[in-house]
Structure formats: structure tokens, C-alpha cells
Amino acid sequence: MTTTSRIDFTQPLDGQAARLRQAFGRPRQLLLAHTHADVRAVLDAVHAAAQRGHWCVGYLRYEAAAAFDTALQTHAADGPLAWFAVHDAPMPWPDDNLQQRAADPARVEWADGPERAAFDAALARIQQAISAGELYQVNYTAPLRGRLQGAAEALFAALQQAQPGGYAAHIVAGDEQLLSVSPELFFDWHDAPGGGRIVARPMKGTAPRGATPGQDMANAEWLRTAPKERAENVMIVDLLRNDMARIALPHSVRVPVLFATQALPTVWQMTSDVQARTRPGTTLTDVFAALFPCGSVTGAPKVRAMQMIRQLEPAPRGVYCGAVGVVRPRGPAGADGLRAVAATFNVPIRTVVLHTQGGQQRVHCGIGSGITCGAQADAEWREWQYKRAFVERASMPFELLETLALEDAAFRHLPEHLARLRGAAAHFGVPWDADAVQQCLRALAQRHLAQRWRVRLLLDAAGRPRAEAFALHAASEPVRLALATRAFTAAHSEFVRYKTTRRAHYAAFAPTAPGVFDTLLWNEAGEITESTFGNIAAYIDGRWVTPPCCCGLLPGVGRAVALREGRVAEAVLRLTDRPRVQGWAFINSLRGWLAATVQ
């Protein structure tokens, strides 16, 4: 089955569990708008095609805004303002082979992202304008740019695995491909002769996922109650209420859900629902004229916010922050042969755009956040890092990893290692087959019946296990640890909290001096975290303590055993505490507890 596009959308008006998951082949017709004067005509043609029973899949660029209001300023577009493919009918979603994707994954080499100095300067300009009373909020964004090696289909599959659910679309539009895994609904609209229904779900407010279940719940509660995040959300809700009123029956606009928290793999997001009954005769063009672009990606008030965006952002946003979706027939045809129409569009955040030029596949992906009067540069910069984590996860193939000690054909702490591996599989969306993992380990143990071995147990993206063994040599105590000369900025990454083969952030701190066993790491807050391949304990104030997970570290199995046995307790250790430390230890399941010194 040859497909050109596919969509995998939640359907809010059909129930929260409903999904529209379809593929599309070669279109019967393409509808394109290259000028603002053509955008409305294209949307009218899309609406008419759906009324006649066709399915239309496509997008509007952010720069299409002036087609609906000339006061909405943008840069000149770098491609069609509107692009829709018209299909006779959808096809079933392809039966993708997960094992094939794991064997032939896509890779993206990203160039350096936005510079911090430019980010700080833009934030300062926005806050000056807010202080002057010009506006309340600006959604400021910047692009990440890179090159793709491999197939776009493999990258889309990896993106969906990294950001499941929501409103995913892979649209092939000539030399341009859109790989959107946006979690944000722009609008879901069901037309009807007596008036339709519409819901928008703006997403404003972000918090990172926690390193522990307790911290995760605390982060969600903070997001629900933080004044800055609530203010950011409610500003956009008010903007959407006003926009929706343009097409709504009188007194029908309401907000049934306010400040809901949605758990995504790398962040918590705050969403609210804005609903209305649309007036009889409302068209798809009317809906876009009232709502586009979504206020969550502009700011408030929309006109002034977009003016500032044009001043601060040096290039067009393109499809990023525009709209990507599907327009389809709904229900039986009437006496006139026409059907009611349903339209679902996402706000294309968490979206990668691919251009093929001269045999190279160039990609870009936008990252942004809403800047309000209470925004702090450090906090907003961290939010950008949280938001880009989805694309970093999908950009480089990796396997899940456990390192175990095998001695006399017995694995040390095997149940604990398997539990941790199962948790990592759940986090990254990797299939888990406990029997296959156990069988893999048994086979390896039977081949290594004597001596001590270091075993690497790996699980690929398809859930297939493999194991390899290496001779394990004893380390002379005390082992020497060197203090890192700079902060471990990756401390709070998911690739620290879960053990995988993606370890470049650790490798950058590998010791180079002779006789040094490992490097003692510390985070940007000056808190000691771990070493590059083990956990740390310190004897201070009459007890052994180890840093808690909230400092940013891998919760090792050896550490967990020491905590369970009462040998150590959790406590924050700061660099400034070093003079009071009377003893150090290196801990992991492979080597156990090793006395250590820190230089």
C-alpha cells in the first residue's frame, strides 16, 4: 500500500477515547494558495469537497494570517500559504513493522540551537513592551535546524513513540514533508444544518516531569496552582472566547474545563477547553477567519503580539504555529446530495518540517513559550529545553540498558534490574516481553558458568533483548574520584533518569588522568549528583547519605539496595559541604560498595 499522508488524531467531540487514524494515497486534486487573496477560496473549495464526500488533508502556514485580517503582520511566506490534498476516501493505517523500524532507524544531526544571549535580549524587549502596557503576552519562538539521515517514515514513527497520542500527522507535500506530533488541538468542529459544535483546547503552561512519582505529582500540582502559569493560560482562554464568539450563537461560548493538567512524556502541560455552538451556515473559512492563528502561539492582544513576533523573529515560522488537519464528510447526504462537514486541526507545535534539496534532507523544528510579565529568563530557557526533549529523544536511536554482575551463573539483584528495565520500557514506549528477557539471560548464563562477568542487557526499540558478557576485574580500594570542573547540565534529562545506550552526556565527563576511577558530577544548582557510571555516598554529620533523585541522577540498583538495608539515607549534598565530608563511597550493583576518595 502506497501512502502519501497519514493522520492520527484524537476526536474530542466524539469522546475522549475516539481516534481518527487513517492513511491516504495519491490525491485526486491539490488545492494551493500562494497569495493571501487565494486562501479563502482554497478553504471554500475544501469545505465544498468535503460536502461532496471527499476527504481533504492539509495545512495553513502561520503567514496565512493576513488573509483574514491585514492587521495580522508576519514575514513573507517561504512556501504555499495553504495546501490541501483532496482524496476520494481514506485507507487503513499502514501496518508498520516495529522490528524493521528498529533495524533501520532515522538519525537527525541538529546544529546548535538558539543562543542564550539572543534569547535574553528578546525576553527583555517583550517585558519592556508589557510594562509599557502595549500587550499582556507574547509567544516567542526560535528554530532548531538539522539534517536527516534515513527515511522520513522512520523519523515520524520515532516522533510518535516519543510523543504519543494527541494530533499526529505526516503529510507529503512535494519536496516538503510535515511530521507533526502536536499534543495541542486548534479546533474540532462539527457542522450541522441547525448550527454546529466547536471546541478549542489551547495549551499554555508547562512544567517538567518529575524524577520520582512524588516529585512528578508535585510538579503537576505546582503547574495547576502557579500564578504565572494560570495567568498565561487564562489570557489565551479569554482571547479564544472572544475569537470564537464571532462564529458562535449568542451566549453559547463557555469554558467547561479550565487549568487541566496533561501528562506528556517529558513535560506537564496546562490546557483549557473553550466550546460553542456555531451559527447555521458557518463555513470552514468563517472558522479560520475567526480563530487563526491560534492565540496560544501569538499572545494577547493578538494584533500587537504578532507585530512584536515579526520584529523579534528573523524568519517566517512556516507551518510551525499554523494549522495542520483534516476536513471530512460526516453523516449521510441530504436531499441536495451534500453532507455535513467535520474538521479537526492541530496547532503544529512539536512539529518537524523536512525539505529535500540536492539530495540532502534538511529539517527544522520550532520551540517557543509564552512570555508574560512574571517570566524569568532562566525558567523560560529551561522550559525550552524541556519542550525540545521530544525531538531529541526521536533524533538518535538508542537501546535500553542494564548492567548486571554475573558470578557462578547467578545474576546479582536480578529482580531489581528487571523492574528498572521494565519501568524504562514503559517510559519510552518500548514493548516489554518478560519471558523473552529471562530466556535471553538464561542462555547467556549457561555459556558463562564460571568466574565473574559484567553483563550488558539491551532492549531495542522493538523490545528485542540481547545480552553480552565481559570479564569483570576487581577494583583496588579506595577508588579515586575526580570532581567535575563544570556543571553536569544534563542532570535532569530523561536519559539520566533512565539507563540507555545514549551516554554522550556522561562520556563528556569521563576521567582522563591516570589512576582516576570516575568523575564526581554536580548540577547547575551546585548539588552533587552521581558519577558517570555509579552512585555516590558521603559520610557527613555522623551518617552515610546519598543524593536524592530530585538532584538529577540515575537511581542505581546498588543505591536502592543500600537505601533498603538502611546503610544510607537520602540527603542533598552541595559542593560547599565537601569540607565536612569524612568519607566517600562509590556504589553500583556491578561492584557493590567501594571506598573512595575525591580529589
Side-chain angles (χ1 to χ4, degrees), residues 44-369:
D44 286 342
V46 167
H47 190 133
Q51 286 180 314
R52 293 193 300 270
H54 301 302
W55 290 60
C56 304
V57 180
Y59 64 81
L60 266 68
R61 273 177 160 75
Y62 173 82
E63 291 73 31
F68 310 111
D69 185 345
T70 56
L72 301 178
Q73 297 183 10
T74 69
H75 291 287
D78 55 0
L81 293 169
W83 186 101
F84 284 88
V86 182
H87 301 270
D88 289 329
M91 301 188 299
W93 185 271
D95 183 16
D96 291 325
N97 189 316
L98 183 59
Q99 293 189 355
Q100 178 61 35
R101 294 206 312 259
D104 189 21
R107 297 172 182 266
V108 180
E109 297 178 1
W110 294 101
D112 292 338
E115 294 184 357
R116 177 63 192 267
F119 175 87
D120 287 356
L123 188 141
R125 284 189 61 188
I126 292 170
Q127 292 193 319
Q128 288 174 359
I130 293 173
S131 297
E134 298 178 29
L135 35 68
Y136 305 106
Q137 180 182 159
V138 174
N139 194 76
Y140 175 59
T141 76
L144 307 173
R145 301 188 186 279
R147 291 187 303 173
L148 169 66
Q149 296 178 347
E153 292 81 4
L155 178 58
F156 180 63
L159 288 166
Q160 276 203 289
Q161 192 170 25
Q163 182 83 69
Y167 304 88
H170 180 193
I171 296 178
V172 180
D175 291 336
E176 182 175 67
Q177 295 189 48
L178 314 179
L179 289 70
S180 179
V181 289
S182 175
E184 182 172 4
L185 173 67
F186 181 19
F187 66 82
D188 190 25
W189 174 54
H190 286 187
D191 187 21
R197 297 180 296 151
I198 190 168
V199 57
R201 187 167 291 155
M203 182 173 283
K204 272 297 165 195
T206 306
R209 298 301 303 268
T212 65
Q215 185 186 33
D216 200 37
M217 291 300 100
N219 288 358
E221 181 61 22
W222 174 87
L223 179 60
R224 277 191 291 269
T225 58
K228 183 262 182 187
E229 306 298 323
R230 291 168 70 94
E232 184 180 338
N233 189 281
V234 79
M235 286 179 195
I236 303 307
V237 167
D238 285 345
L239 188 156
L240 262 292
R241 290 173 63 227
N242 291 334
D243 285 352
M244 200 173 284
R246 301 176 186 178
I247 53 172
L249 290 168
H251 313 296
S252 70
V253 179
R254 59 193 185 94
V255 183
V257 179
L258 188 64
F259 306 144
T261 50
Q262 179 179 348
L264 302 178
T266 59
V267 293
W268 284 99
Q269 298 271 198
M270 181 183 288
T271 65
S272 297
D273 282 10
V274 183
Q275 296 183 3
R277 301 283 299 181
T278 55
R279 298 168 187 163
T282 297
T283 67
L284 182 66
T285 300
D286 295 332
V287 175
F288 271 96
L291 302 181
F292 189 83
C294 183
S296 64
V297 294
T298 61
K302 186 181 287 188
V303 170
R304 182 66 185 100
M306 290 183 65
Q307 291 172 352
M308 178 149 281
I309 288 168
R310 189 184 185 284
Q311 295 167 9
L312 294 176
E313 298 181 16
R317 289 180 172 183
V319 179
Y320 173 62
C321 295
V324 172
V326 58
V327 186
R328 63 197 189 281
R330 188 174 65 86
D336 56 2
L338 301 179
R339 303 185 183 189
V341 168
T344 310
F345 283 81
N346 75 17
V347 180
I349 58 175
R350 316 292 198 275
T351 297
V352 174
V353 179
L354 168 64
H355 291 274
T356 303
Q357 298 174 332
Q360 290 194 339
Q361 300 183 99
R362 300 189 179 278
V363 294
H364 68 267
C365 173
I367 303 293
S369 64

